[in-house]
Amino acid sequence: MGPLAGVKIIELAGIGPGPMAATLLADLGATVLRIERREAVELGVKKEFKYNLMLRNRKAIALDLKDPQAVALVLDLLKDADGLIEGFRPGVTERLGLGPEACLEVNPRLVYGRITGWGQTGPLAHAAGHDINYIALTGVLNAIGRKGQLPSIPLALLGDMSGGALYLAIGMLAALLEARQSGQGQVVDAAICDGTASMALGFFGLVASGQWKNERGSNVIDSGAHFYDVYACKDDQLVSVGPIEGRFHAELLKQLDIDPAAIGAQQDPRNWPKARELFAQAFKRRTREEWCALLEGTDVCFAPVLSFAEAPEHPHLKARGTFVEVNGIQQPAPAPRFSRTAPAVPTAPQPATLAGIDAALEGWLPIAEIGRWRDSGVIGENLG
């Protein structure tokens, strides 16, 4: 089920954006086989395997990719694959014998997806880094935060997952479409710094036109304006407002019982500090629940600030089925929505077990060949 049904992807196990890109494709129906390491890798965060939600919707086998026989198995699997995802540092898969040249030799139509922080080329290509470093280099981190404070550190959604995983998935989909026309595969070099810079396209336009102030918290949508911010309620819970348009702003003033004359022109930054004080005082008069009852569904551009635990219980998200429960765990459903080829409900993460080899390789290799590889001892297990 799903619009990518029939697309087959090999994923070389990694962390962060690589697995997320594989999940995005698997959520939409692609058959993804994850090649795990045979040995467990210490990642700094320990949790039961069932909580590794970015490994949902696919099966796995465990291989030692330093073993030539294991490499031969991967190459054998790639003969019937449409794509491959890897997130190692530049040059690692080449040294393993699984670089683009070797893989495209066995399957000229293969789309070879690579995800790194800095990219495959450039002075920093071989340096270590994390989300915070990649978004820092693009100018994005410098722009996030409140006035007079250090930059605020966003979740790794901005770099790893958006600038990285989403751009890799989009790049691979584009290359898969092209391969169906040309019969030729290619390498997709997805760098988190490139994707993050691309997402900031509109802001670079504002900078070039002189409409963006470099000081944090001084612009309309960076917490500079009173009408695009978060406020505490009577019960210390938070709400967000964002009525940028004049008519929406006027409606919010009415609901807050604030005289427009007490604020002055909405878009004049000189009026923002006083307006912020009035907004803060007004929101303190009611609880978050009371504000939700009054403002949700109106045109004041309002939403409560919910926690991860609260979000799945919100009536709007429940009505849309934005979250699903799989194996007793509440988690986001596949997105976006499709009118005709809706994706299936996700399956729970599955570790690479010896007992699961046949099921994992079904549809990839003939039954007799699966048995030969199973009995060879090349395939191990990794229980996470």
Side-chain angles (χ1 to χ4, degrees), residues 180-322:
R180 292 188 175 184
Q181 297 175 353
S182 68
Q184 299 179 52
Q186 59 183 306
V187 177
V188 178
D189 172 8
I192 297 170
C193 59
D194 293 350
T196 304
S198 175
M199 287 194 300
L201 179 65
F203 291 97
F204 277 91
L206 291 173
V207 171
S209 66
Q211 294 176 282
W212 186 265
K213 296 179 181 178
N214 191 51
E215 184 182 8
R216 285 181 291 281
S218 300
N219 301 279
V220 170
I221 57 174
D222 68 348
S223 79
H226 64 283
F227 52 86
Y228 200 90
D229 210 340
V230 168
Y231 290 93
C233 303
K234 184 177 181 179
D235 55 358
D236 292 327
Q237 297 295 312
L238 304 177
V239 295
S240 68
V241 291
I244 298 174
E245 297 82 357
R247 66 185 186 279
F248 299 157
H249 183 259
E251 178 62 22
L252 180 57
L253 293 183
K254 178 181 177 182
Q255 296 290 350
L256 296 180
D257 195 23
I258 294 176
D259 183 356
I263 288 180
Q266 175 192 354
Q267 298 293 341
D268 188 341
R270 293 173 298 181
N271 295 330
W272 293 352
K274 176 61 176 178
R276 186 183 305 281
E277 291 180 17
L278 294 175
F279 270 41
Q281 293 169 10
F283 278 111
K284 272 292 188 179
R285 298 187 190 116
R286 289 184 170 96
T287 65
R288 187 179 73 179
E289 184 177 352
E290 290 171 332
W291 283 119
C292 286
L294 180 66
L295 299 179
E296 275 195 306
T298 72
D299 281 347
V300 302
C301 305
F302 167 92
V305 178
L306 303 181
S307 68
F308 285 136
E310 293 174 311
E313 300 305 315
H314 189 276
H316 179 77
L317 301 183
K318 291 189 79 167
R320 285 189 56 78
T322 300

